[in-house]
Amino acid sequence: MKVGIIGANGYGGVELIRLLKSHPFAEIEFLVSHSTSGTNIKELYPHLSSILEMSLAQVHVDQIAESVDVVFFSTPPGVSLDLLAQFSEKGVLCIDLSGDHRLTDPEVYSQWYQKEPASANILNQTVYGLSEINKESIKDSKHVANPGCYPTAALLGTLPVVKEGWVKENSIIIDGKTGVSGAGRKNSLATHYSEVNENVKAYKLGTHQHIPEIEQLIASFSGNTESITFSAHLVPMTRGIMCTIYADLKEPVTSEIVTDLYHSFYENHPFVRVRETGDLPKTKEVYGSNYCDIGIHCDERTNRLTIVSVIDNLVKGAAGQAIQNMNLLNGWDETTGLTGAPIYP
Amino acid sequence: MKVGIIGANGYGGVELIRLLKSHPFAEIEFLVSHSTSGTNIKELYPHLSSILEMSLAQVHVDQIAESVDVVFFSTPPGVSLDLLAQFSEKGVLCIDLSGDHRLTDPEVYSQWYQKEPASANILNQTVYGLSEINKESIKDSKHVANPGCYPTAALLGTLPVVKEGWVKENSIIIDGKTGVSGAGRKNSLATHYSEVNENVKAYKLGTHQHIPEIEQLIASFSGNTESITFSAHLVPMTRGIMCTIYADLKEPVTSEIVTDLYHSFYENHPFVRVRETGDLPKTKEVYGSNYCDIGIHCDERTNRLTIVSVIDNLVKGAAGQAIQNMNLLNGWDETTGLTGAPIYP
Amino acid sequence: MKVGIIGANGYGGVELIRLLKSHPFAEIEFLVSHSTSGTNIKELYPHLSSILEMSLAQVHVDQIAESVDVVFFSTPPGVSLDLLAQFSEKGVLCIDLSGDHRLTDPEVYSQWYQKEPASANILNQTVYGLSEINKESIKDSKHVANPGCYPTAALLGTLPVVKEGWVKENSIIIDGKTGVSGAGRKNSLATHYSEVNENVKAYKLGTHQHIPEIEQLIASFSGNTESITFSAHLVPMTRGIMCTIYADLKEPVTSEIVTDLYHSFYENHPFVRVRETGDLPKTKEVYGSNYCDIGIHCDERTNRLTIVSVIDNLVKGAAGQAIQNMNLLNGWDETTGLTGAPIYP
Amino acid sequence: MKVGIIGANGYGGVELIRLLKSHPFAEIEFLVSHSTSGTNIKELYPHLSSILEMSLAQVHVDQIAESVDVVFFSTPPGVSLDLLAQFSEKGVLCIDLSGDHRLTDPEVYSQWYQKEPASANILNQTVYGLSEINKESIKDSKHVANPGCYPTAALLGTLPVVKEGWVKENSIIIDGKTGVSGAGRKNSLATHYSEVNENVKAYKLGTHQHIPEIEQLIASFSGNTESITFSAHLVPMTRGIMCTIYADLKEPVTSEIVTDLYHSFYENHPFVRVRETGDLPKTKEVYGSNYCDIGIHCDERTNRLTIVSVIDNLVKGAAGQAIQNMNLLNGWDETTGLTGAPIYP
């Protein structure tokens, strides 16, 4: 199957290339980049020498649509708003790694992204691509809105207890910690080595655009529309996200009982690994892989649940899940091309 | 004034040496280490060559007590339980950086530390050395129990709103993130470079011995004895602690109002720097210094308060605050020898 | 084909597992560890959960030899000296990642390793497994002595000009820089995070056991037995080795001419990527992959050649090259199971 | 004494501020920045809150020259060419941390910096401020050209044996390894965290502007004008430089004899610490301090000398040595304000 990547010169794009090169059924046909078109990708990323030496092209929808079956958008906010509809019209399957098609309520999108939303028609045809949760509807869809990195870790960690109604929705607090690669390759003081190394910072408190995405899914599982608290923190590493999730329990339960719930919730989902009670996952334990590892701690003193959920932000949080969704869209086993073990240490 | 350091071969001990060497009134007279006695400290720490070339001695209470006015304990749990009383009896001022004398309730100590507690008599004479909070009683005391690193950041960040009664005590959640130096110099898989680098882990959920220390102080300010949730996380850096503190507001207030409260609470406390609204401190901004920097965010959507509090775990979280307490014990200006700016970047 | 790993609980062993799990023809049948036998590998390495959940066994040569076709030794110095001969006798192909069988002169081995050498008989049947250099003889051998990590980078960078006789052999200086994972998972002050982070150190100057290994190969290509200088440096990262190689040119040549030589020398060797003139490889550009990337700089002012050679120490410097050798031993394409792209960033 | 800093918004400027705030005789009167004038320095560097809250000004030579006794230039190449002469004319002592006045031969400057050189008149009045080497002439000068970071480490490590004539000058190879802060605060892909972390790269081979600076000093000690080889490498840390220096010995000597030479050469120079034979310094052992630590290894096999020299690039390699030179210019003890111990770990 022929594949095109729009925004191939960013870290998300490059991670798509790495994973697609190991995919048995996918062939990269087009790399698109507005800002670096005309350049060979290996000039920008010498690690791709002899692996994929392809020029980056401008986006010509007609030409690309003729050659590819699937297109991935690994683009900044706003870019896919217009383009996805065009590709869709021509029958190309679309997987959007940006946030442009994740929020079903156009007003919420406008409010958090400060942009005009996609058309209602397009949004209706789009499925939120949290693969484990929306597996069946993804299979039947034409467009997938690939989840944000934080929401992937946060929601896989939270939804089982929300669905059961075991926690008070308005008590949910998600403390997120991310590596720097999530900020992309653009130069800024926020990604400057000397500013990031030996440093932890909190950012975008109360204003992070992943907040409505998390709330939307929680609401759909709980039936309530409670606000949650989400805080983002940058830690000095390249890859990895941990979400430490806190929630008040409605009734006392033990760690074992909650762990059992998670084991059974994710029984048929090979990319979610629920740890035994007492064992908590570390971000490095999923490095480079499509796993989401989850650990559970119920605290009797406080009657509060703590859930630790980790992913590689560029794999399960972006390119890996996008390929998982491509597999589902095409009716392949969802693990196709994604079975690489985490790289450790 | 003559000073001795018990446990001089650990990171806390070495940081005491660095800071005491810049102190105008203190002179290091004795370095004690049980495990490395007989060795010159510069063999263990070549960075001290030509700065302090002194042999580590076994602890001989009589001999040391004759020569020094103040003794610092930078020792593992249990060591100062016996020794502090002996030095105290001989009239030596004692500053205990370990956790052995922090908890006023012996039963709580036994429960969390799994050791026999100090005698009630000694505990009664000991002041909890959170310098900004207990300034006056420290001045009059003979022993100071220097706070833990996490509690220092957590409590300086929390106590102003707890004192005012603006938050629900049982809603307090503290998400702590620390550098590796807090674990000391002992070799273990938990401090192995290849295991820590590019990794974030949560540890000791619900069982960290700093929990009762935080609860004790919050209770003394609120009058309640509510349990709080505290989670510890290891991030890949050497120094620095951030506590991200969450609490439900009883009544809606703005970030500006809370920031004003903190500004006025810490008005006469030069080591606490409260940031303007919208500005959040990073750990590197206090690196190597005795500052605690605090930033405030009130979220209207959730009616929840988020406080970000950062320190250098080895300075304000250990050796620096210990010297600040030594200054107070001796009636000196509390900033004496501690005015060095953070090292940046 | 059935495979066993002796020393499976170290970083080399775990990297073998990662790569073998992606190999189409290999199946892991036995994991052996003396110190942690009885434990499931996932207890030691939770990242392997659901990927390889196998107990570590004691080494029972008969039992293992019956079940496997190939055995990898990822063991400390001295361990394979005895064991390899036993497995060999039973017809098992042996690939030794330790240094025990690399030096053809038993006296040199004794001198640098301070141990009794392997028998002359075994050494005679063993091929030095620098795959690109000894490809044909590896195919015909029964035992492969897998090269050291530094020698792999150093020799692939040096041998083409040595073979041509373009440089003075006694002028060769190799400045090696390695990440920490090369030191293994054993706890020590030398691998303690707080000691390694923000730090560079030189170590084992003039005494590193990789020196005779490098000299042996250079001598075999040059016909001389000149001593070379090799220095090892530890830099604060987990994976990666760079060798910066200096040598005086006998006659002036340009960077372009030397680059051409390397291109043609490595024409049929897919894992060596020679960069265009003016482009120098970085360690991260081979991270997690089996590539060795080489860049060339001839300096007219000094008539000296500088060569920069990088590998991932755990892949091309250990487990990856071992599998490349396994492929050669079995007559498979040497890239089988090793085509994964570097993980970037 | 009143002090002004031109280029105060860079890392060199900020390190000058940190050190000058601890200096008993210096008072910061002016902070100048072209690009950020009008901003308070604490907006750019929150770690300076309550320490130095001063607005950055445009450079008005007359106004500044009236108020200050000494001016530091922490500026990009080219800036001080014009300004230093103006300040000098008005009797202000000038310390130039840039490379604009280091090379005595204007043609060499033009060739390596691609700029018009300073006037011969100004260059004649300028002393190269390698404090240990030119101590007496610095005391009598009006302008000091503060050495580059690499040359400081390289030359303090090399000059004793060059002066004695023990090594072949044309055999000298200097392999430099630096942290990222040397590249300043400017955003670029070369300082992007995700590109630098877990990475080592070589850069500017044969073209680094520090090469003529090193050669100029070696020539002045040896009487020859041999070319040397210098290679720069970026390693993933913020601060620190190590130069590993290789040179062929004219006659065999032992490590002990060379170490003795260095001990006696630096006998009266408190900031150079020569390690005992067998002990090699690490960059972290001088972190934040003005020390240069040196270790010696003579290799009998190769008759080659290896010297390891480390500094903190922002202290002894920039701001610290500048203040050491200010001390000398003013007849103060050279250690004034610079006695802080390295911060470890």
Side-chain angles (χ1 to χ4, degrees):
Chain A
M1 211 190 55
K2 310 285 190 184
V3 163
I5 304 173
I6 320 284
N9 63 328
Y11 289 150
V14 166
E15 189 69 352
L16 280 167
I17 292 172
R18 177 176 80 90
L19 295 169
L20 288 168
K21 287 299 292 182
S22 301
H23 196 285
F25 310 142
E27 196 177 333
I28 297 170
E29 196 71 13
F30 262 97
L31 299 181
V32 169
S33 161
H34 183 67
S35 58
T36 57
S37 70
T39 312
N40 192 302
I41 187 82
K42 81 162 177 172
E43 306 294 324
L44 304 175
Y45 291 99
H47 76 280
L48 291 176
S49 302
S50 88
I51 295 170
L52 185 74
E53 306 197 348
M54 187 182 275
S55 273
L56 294 152
Q58 284 289 352
V59 59
H60 297 298
V61 177
D62 288 350
Q63 189 190 0
I64 298 173
E66 268 175 44
S67 333
V68 307
D69 307 290
V70 180
V71 75
F72 293 95
F73 293 90
S74 181
T75 44
V79 174
S80 72
L81 280 179
D82 185 42
L83 285 172
L84 185 141
Q86 296 180 43
F87 278 103
S88 172
E89 207 168 283
K90 294 180 188 298
V92 180
L93 295 174
C94 293
I95 300 171
D96 186 2
L97 284 78
S98 85
D100 286 350
H101 296 84
R102 293 179 195 148
L103 300 176
T104 51
D105 182 338
E107 275 184 45
V108 175
Y109 177 83
S110 299
Q111 179 191 339
W112 289 84
Y113 282 79
Q114 307 292 324
K115 289 186 191 301
E116 286 297 304
S119 74
N121 183 32
I122 288 289
L123 291 176
N124 283 341
Q125 300 173 42
T126 307
V127 174
Y128 185 72
L130 191 57
S131 319
E132 281 72 18
I133 302 303
N134 290 334
K135 196 166 171 175
E136 295 310 316
S137 36
I138 293 165
K139 287 180 183 174
D140 298 330
S141 74
K142 297 281 177 242
H143 323 145
V144 176
N146 216 56
C149 49
Y150 280 126
T152 296
L155 291 169
L156 292 176
T158 312
L159 291 180
V161 277
V162 167
K163 190 182 172 201
E164 294 298 312
W166 289 3
V167 297
K168 300 176 193 160
E169 288 82 8
N170 71 346
S171 75
I172 296 174
I173 294 174
I174 299 163
D175 189 283
K177 296 127 185 119
T178 187
V180 183
S181 60
R185 207 188 203 193
K186 219 171 16 165
N187 298 325
S188 76
L189 203 57
T191 58
H192 190 295
Y193 184 88
S194 303
E195 304 284 323
V196 170
N197 187 37
E198 280 285 296
N199 206 358
V200 176
K201 75 164 181 182
Y203 64 100
K204 288 197 190 173
L205 292 194
T207 65
H208 200 292
Q209 72 279 8
H210 286 166
I211 293 174
E213 191 179 331
I214 297 170
E215 288 179 350
Q216 170 177 297
L217 268 279
I218 288 181
S220 79
F221 269 70
S222 71
N224 298 325
T225 55
E226 298 285 3
S227 297
I228 59 101
T229 290
F230 167 75
S231 298
H233 297 81
L234 191 71
V235 301
M237 61 185 192
T238 301
R239 284 174 180 244
I241 279 183
M242 177 182 283
C243 284
T244 312
I245 302 157
Y246 303 95
D248 292 349
L249 289 159
K250 290 184 185 162
E251 306 289 339
V253 285
T254 64
S255 299
E256 286 73 15
I257 289 170
V258 180
T259 300
D260 282 351
L261 170 66
Y262 277 67
H263 272 302
S264 100
F265 192 95
Y266 290 117
E267 201 171 14
N268 299 312
H269 297 284
F271 289 125
V272 181
R273 302 188 296 190
V274 180
R275 297 296 178 84
E276 296 309 315
T277 306
D279 186 16
L280 297 170
K282 311 184 192 80
T283 60
K284 204 186 186 84
E285 290 165 357
V286 297
Y287 196 96
S289 81
N290 201 47
Y291 290 104
C292 175
D293 283 11
I294 297 174
I296 302 291
H297 172 73
C298 288
D299 199 59
E300 289 178 31
R301 295 173 62 252
T302 56
N303 200 31
R304 190 171 281 141
L305 174 66
T306 305
I307 304 161
V308 176
S309 173
V310 301
I311 58 168
D312 183 321
N313 57 306
L314 292 177
V315 190
K316 184 64 180 169
Q321 186 157 239
I323 291 172
Q324 189 179 356
N325 287 327
M326 177 188 76
N327 291 338
L328 293 173
L329 282 174
N330 286 283
W332 304 326
D333 185 291
E334 66 185 317
T335 66
T336 310
L338 294 170
T339 53
I343 186 164
Y344 195 94
Chain B
M1 212 188 56
K2 311 286 192 185
V3 163
I5 304 173
I6 319 286
N9 63 330
Y11 289 150
V14 166
E15 189 69 352
L16 280 166
I17 291 173
R18 178 177 78 92
L19 295 169
L20 288 167
K21 286 298 293 181
S22 300
H23 196 286
F25 310 142
E27 199 177 331
I28 297 170
E29 198 69 14
F30 261 97
L31 299 181
V32 169
S33 161
H34 183 68
S35 58
T36 58
S37 70
T39 312
N40 192 304
I41 186 82
K42 81 162 177 175
E43 305 294 325
L44 303 175
Y45 292 99
H47 76 279
L48 291 175
S49 302
S50 88
I51 295 170
L52 185 73
E53 305 196 350
M54 186 181 276
S55 273
L56 294 152
Q58 284 287 354
V59 59
H60 297 296
V61 177
D62 288 352
Q63 189 191 1
I64 297 173
E66 266 175 43
S67 330
V68 307
D69 308 290
V70 180
V71 75
F72 293 95
F73 294 91
S74 180
T75 43
V79 175
S80 73
L81 279 178
D82 184 43
L83 284 173
L84 185 141
Q86 296 180 45
F87 278 103
S88 172
E89 207 169 282
K90 296 182 187 296
V92 180
L93 296 173
C94 292
I95 300 171
D96 185 4
L97 284 78
S98 86
D100 285 351
H101 296 86
R102 292 179 196 151
L103 300 177
T104 52
D105 182 338
E107 277 184 44
V108 174
Y109 177 84
S110 299
Q111 179 191 337
W112 289 83
Y113 283 79
Q114 308 292 325
K115 288 187 191 301
E116 286 297 303
S119 75
N121 184 31
I122 287 289
L123 290 176
N124 284 339
Q125 299 171 46
T126 306
V127 174
Y128 184 72
L130 191 57
S131 317
E132 282 70 18
I133 302 303
N134 290 335
K135 195 166 172 174
E136 295 310 317
S137 38
I138 294 165
K139 287 180 183 173
D140 296 332
S141 74
K142 297 283 178 241
H143 324 144
V144 176
N146 217 56
C149 49
Y150 280 126
T152 296
L155 291 168
L156 291 177
T158 312
L159 291 180
V161 278
V162 167
K163 190 183 173 202
E164 293 299 312
W166 290 3
V167 296
K168 299 176 193 160
E169 287 83 8
N170 72 347
S171 75
I172 296 174
I173 293 174
I174 299 163
D175 189 282
K177 294 128 186 118
T178 188
V180 183
S181 61
R185 206 189 206 194
K186 220 173 12 171
N187 297 326
S188 77
L189 203 58
T191 59
H192 190 293
Y193 184 88
S194 303
E195 303 285 324
V196 170
N197 187 38
E198 280 285 299
N199 207 356
V200 176
K201 76 163 181 182
Y203 64 101
K204 287 196 190 176
L205 292 195
T207 65
H208 200 292
Q209 73 280 8
H210 286 167
I211 292 174
E213 190 178 332
I214 296 171
E215 288 180 348
Q216 171 177 295
L217 269 280
I218 287 181
S220 79
F221 269 69
S222 71
N224 298 325
T225 55
E226 299 284 3
S227 296
I228 57 102
T229 290
F230 167 76
S231 298
H233 298 81
L234 190 72
V235 299
M237 61 185 193
T238 302
R239 285 173 179 245
I241 279 183
M242 176 181 284
C243 284
T244 311
I245 302 156
Y246 303 93
D248 292 348
L249 288 160
K250 290 183 186 162
E251 305 289 336
V253 286
T254 64
S255 299
E256 286 73 15
I257 288 170
V258 180
T259 301
D260 282 351
L261 169 67
Y262 277 67
H263 272 301
S264 101
F265 191 95
Y266 290 117
E267 200 171 16
N268 299 311
H269 297 285
F271 287 126
V272 180
R273 302 188 296 191
V274 180
R275 298 297 178 83
E276 296 309 315
T277 307
D279 187 16
L280 297 169
K282 312 184 191 79
T283 60
K284 205 185 184 84
E285 290 164 358
V286 299
Y287 197 95
S289 80
N290 201 47
Y291 290 104
C292 174
D293 283 11
I294 296 174
I296 303 290
H297 172 73
C298 287
D299 198 60
E300 289 178 31
R301 293 173 62 253
T302 55
N303 201 31
R304 191 170 281 140
L305 175 64
T306 306
I307 305 163
V308 175
S309 174
V310 300
I311 59 169
D312 183 322
N313 58 305
L314 292 177
V315 189
K316 184 62 179 170
Q321 187 158 239
I323 292 172
Q324 188 180 358
N325 286 328
M326 177 188 76
N327 290 338
L328 292 173
L329 282 174
N330 285 282
W332 304 326
D333 184 293
E334 67 184 317
T335 68
T336 310
L338 293 171
T339 53
I343 187 165
Y344 195 94
Chain C
M1 212 191 53
K2 310 284 191 186
V3 164
I5 303 173
I6 320 286
N9 62 329
Y11 289 151
V14 166
E15 188 69 352
L16 279 167
I17 292 172
R18 178 176 77 91
L19 295 169
L20 288 167
K21 287 299 293 181
S22 300
H23 196 286
F25 310 142
E27 197 177 334
I28 298 171
E29 196 70 14
F30 261 97
L31 299 181
V32 169
S33 160
H34 183 68
S35 57
T36 57
S37 68
T39 313
N40 192 304
I41 186 81
K42 80 162 178 173
E43 306 294 324
L44 304 175
Y45 292 98
H47 75 280
L48 291 175
S49 302
S50 88
I51 295 171
L52 185 73
E53 307 196 348
M54 186 181 277
S55 273
L56 293 152
Q58 284 289 352
V59 59
H60 297 298
V61 176
D62 287 351
Q63 187 190 3
I64 298 174
E66 266 175 44
S67 332
V68 308
D69 308 290
V70 181
V71 75
F72 293 95
F73 294 90
S74 181
T75 44
V79 174
S80 72
L81 279 179
D82 186 43
L83 284 173
L84 184 141
Q86 296 181 44
F87 278 103
S88 173
E89 209 168 280
K90 296 182 187 296
V92 179
L93 296 173
C94 293
I95 299 171
D96 186 3
L97 285 77
S98 86
D100 285 351
H101 295 86
R102 293 179 196 150
L103 300 176
T104 52
D105 183 338
E107 278 184 41
V108 175
Y109 178 82
S110 299
Q111 180 191 337
W112 289 84
Y113 283 79
Q114 308 291 326
K115 288 188 190 299
E116 285 298 303
S119 75
N121 184 33
I122 288 288
L123 290 176
N124 284 340
Q125 299 172 43
T126 307
V127 174
Y128 185 73
L130 191 56
S131 319
E132 281 71 18
I133 303 303
N134 290 335
K135 194 166 172 174
E136 295 310 317
S137 36
I138 293 165
K139 289 180 182 173
D140 298 332
S141 73
K142 297 279 177 241
H143 325 143
V144 176
N146 216 56
C149 49
Y150 280 126
T152 296
L155 291 168
L156 292 176
T158 312
L159 292 179
V161 280
V162 167
K163 190 183 173 200
E164 294 297 313
W166 289 3
V167 297
K168 300 176 194 162
E169 287 82 9
N170 72 347
S171 76
I172 296 174
I173 294 174
I174 299 163
D175 189 283
K177 296 133 187 112
T178 188
V180 183
S181 60
R185 206 189 205 193
K186 219 174 17 173
N187 298 326
S188 78
L189 202 58
T191 58
H192 190 294
Y193 185 88
S194 303
E195 303 285 323
V196 170
N197 186 37
E198 279 286 297
N199 206 356
V200 177
K201 76 164 180 179
Y203 64 100
K204 289 199 191 172
L205 292 194
T207 64
H208 199 291
Q209 74 279 9
H210 286 166
I211 293 175
E213 189 177 333
I214 296 170
E215 288 179 349
Q216 170 177 297
L217 268 279
I218 288 180
S220 78
F221 269 69
S222 71
N224 298 324
T225 56
E226 299 284 3
S227 296
I228 59 101
T229 290
F230 167 76
S231 298
H233 298 82
L234 191 72
V235 300
M237 60 185 193
T238 301
R239 285 173 179 244
I241 278 184
M242 176 181 285
C243 284
T244 312
I245 302 157
Y246 304 94
D248 293 348
L249 288 160
K250 290 183 185 162
E251 307 288 339
V253 285
T254 63
S255 299
E256 285 74 14
I257 289 171
V258 181
T259 301
D260 282 350
L261 170 66
Y262 278 67
H263 273 300
S264 102
F265 192 95
Y266 290 117
E267 203 171 11
N268 299 312
H269 297 285
F271 288 126
V272 180
R273 301 188 296 191
V274 180
R275 298 295 178 86
E276 296 309 314
T277 308
D279 186 17
L280 297 170
K282 312 185 191 78
T283 59
K284 204 185 186 85
E285 290 164 357
V286 298
Y287 197 96
S289 80
N290 200 46
Y291 290 104
C292 174
D293 283 11
I294 296 175
I296 303 289
H297 171 74
C298 287
D299 199 59
E300 288 178 33
R301 294 173 62 251
T302 56
N303 201 31
R304 192 169 281 140
L305 175 65
T306 306
I307 304 162
V308 175
S309 173
V310 302
I311 58 168
D312 182 320
N313 57 305
L314 291 178
V315 189
K316 185 62 181 170
Q321 187 159 236
I323 291 171
Q324 189 179 357
N325 287 328
M326 177 187 77
N327 290 338
L328 293 173
L329 282 174
N330 286 283
W332 304 326
D333 186 292
E334 66 185 317
T335 67
T336 310
L338 294 171
T339 53
I343 185 164
Y344 194 93
Chain D
M1 213 192 52
K2 311 285 191 185
V3 162
I5 302 173
I6 320 285
N9 63 328
Y11 289 149
V14 165
E15 188 69 352
L16 279 167
I17 292 171
R18 178 176 78 91
L19 295 169
L20 288 167
K21 287 300 292 182
S22 300
H23 196 287
F25 310 142
E27 197 178 333
I28 297 170
E29 197 70 16
F30 261 98
L31 299 181
V32 169
S33 161
H34 183 69
S35 58
T36 57
S37 70
T39 313
N40 192 303
I41 186 82
K42 81 161 177 174
E43 306 293 325
L44 304 175
Y45 291 99
H47 76 280
L48 291 175
S49 301
S50 88
I51 295 171
L52 184 74
E53 306 196 348
M54 186 181 278
S55 273
L56 293 152
Q58 283 289 352
V59 59
H60 296 297
V61 178
D62 289 351
Q63 190 192 359
I64 298 173
E66 267 176 42
S67 332
V68 307
D69 306 292
V70 180
V71 74
F72 293 94
F73 293 91
S74 181
T75 45
V79 175
S80 74
L81 279 178
D82 185 44
L83 285 173
L84 184 141
Q86 296 180 44
F87 278 103
S88 173
E89 208 169 279
K90 295 181 187 298
V92 180
L93 296 173
C94 293
I95 299 171
D96 186 3
L97 284 79
S98 86
D100 286 351
H101 295 86
R102 292 179 196 151
L103 300 176
T104 53
D105 183 337
E107 276 184 43
V108 175
Y109 177 83
S110 299
Q111 180 191 336
W112 290 83
Y113 283 80
Q114 308 292 325
K115 288 186 192 299
E116 286 297 302
S119 74
N121 184 34
I122 287 290
L123 289 177
N124 284 339
Q125 299 172 44
T126 306
V127 174
Y128 184 72
L130 191 57
S131 317
E132 281 71 19
I133 302 303
N134 290 335
K135 195 166 172 175
E136 294 310 316
S137 38
I138 293 166
K139 288 179 182 174
D140 297 332
S141 75
K142 297 282 177 239
H143 324 142
V144 176
N146 217 57
C149 49
Y150 280 126
T152 295
L155 292 168
L156 291 175
T158 312
L159 291 179
V161 279
V162 167
K163 190 182 173 204
E164 293 299 313
W166 288 3
V167 297
K168 299 176 195 162
E169 287 84 8
N170 71 348
S171 75
I172 297 173
I173 294 174
I174 299 162
D175 189 283
K177 295 130 187 115
T178 188
V180 184
S181 61
R185 206 189 206 194
K186 219 171 17 168
N187 298 326
S188 78
L189 202 58
T191 58
H192 190 294
Y193 185 87
S194 303
E195 303 285 323
V196 170
N197 186 39
E198 279 286 297
N199 206 357
V200 176
K201 76 163 181 181
Y203 64 102
K204 287 196 189 174
L205 291 195
T207 64
H208 200 291
Q209 72 280 7
H210 286 166
I211 292 175
E213 191 178 331
I214 297 170
E215 288 180 349
Q216 171 176 293
L217 269 278
I218 287 181
S220 79
F221 270 69
S222 71
N224 298 326
T225 55
E226 299 284 4
S227 296
I228 59 102
T229 291
F230 167 76
S231 297
H233 298 81
L234 191 72
V235 300
M237 61 185 192
T238 301
R239 285 174 179 244
I241 279 183
M242 175 180 285
C243 284
T244 311
I245 302 157
Y246 304 94
D248 292 348
L249 288 160
K250 290 183 187 163
E251 306 288 338
V253 286
T254 63
S255 299
E256 286 72 16
I257 288 171
V258 181
T259 301
D260 282 352
L261 170 67
Y262 277 67
H263 274 300
S264 102
F265 191 95
Y266 290 117
E267 202 172 13
N268 299 310
H269 298 284
F271 288 126
V272 181
R273 302 188 294 191
V274 180
R275 297 297 177 84
E276 296 309 314
T277 307
D279 186 17
L280 298 170
K282 311 184 192 81
T283 59
K284 204 185 184 86
E285 290 166 356
V286 298
Y287 198 96
S289 81
N290 202 47
Y291 290 104
C292 174
D293 283 11
I294 297 173
I296 303 290
H297 172 73
C298 288
D299 198 59
E300 288 177 33
R301 294 173 62 252
T302 57
N303 200 31
R304 191 170 281 141
L305 175 65
T306 305
I307 305 161
V308 175
S309 173
V310 300
I311 58 170
D312 183 321
N313 57 305
L314 292 177
V315 189
K316 184 63 180 170
Q321 186 157 239
I323 291 171
Q324 189 180 357
N325 286 328
M326 178 188 76
N327 290 339
L328 293 173
L329 282 174
N330 286 282
W332 304 327
D333 186 292
E334 66 183 318
T335 66
T336 310
L338 293 170
T339 52
I343 186 164
Y344 195 95

